[in-house]
Amino acid sequence: PLSGVSLSAQPPGGQVALGDRLVLSCAVAAGKGPLSFSWHRGGSGAPLGTGPRLELRHVGDNDSGHYHCRVSDGDSAAESVPLNVTVL
């Protein structure tokens, strides 16, 4: 099964200045087969993106919040711990 889903941010800690770029990366410690990634903010239903990276090119005030990635291998799914993104 999938395990060890982790999320990292550039700039570190998820603190980003208004108008700057934010890149979130999702990593999986263990998991086989074709993995699918989706990105979510807060309780929003629709994914913000797919793939192991999410790039926000020009961060706005409404981009702050708790982001997490969800990884599925077709049989099981796991989520990262949410990362709080703060727009300065």
Side-chain angles (χ1 to χ4, degrees):
L2 287 166
S3 67
V5 178
S6 62
L7 200 166
S8 60
Q10 194 61 39
Q15 294 207 333
V16 58
L18 188 67
D20 276 5
R21 190 173 75 125
L22 172 71
V23 179
L24 302 178
S25 303
C26 191
V28 182
K32 307 203 249 293
L35 300 177
S36 62
F37 296 84
S38 62
W39 291 92
H40 304 271
R41 184 177 74 219
S44 69
L48 302 167
T50 56
R53 288 181 63 211
L54 177 70
E55 181 177 338
L56 304 176
R57 284 197 171 80
H58 299 285
V59 171
D61 285 326
N62 57 348
D63 288 320
S64 14
H66 290 85
Y67 288 74
H68 67 273
C69 66
R70 186 170 190 273
V71 186
S72 170
D73 63 3
D75 296 321
S76 61
E79 287 185 1
S80 69
V81 173
L83 173 81
N84 187 26
V85 169
T86 309
V87 178
L88 305 174

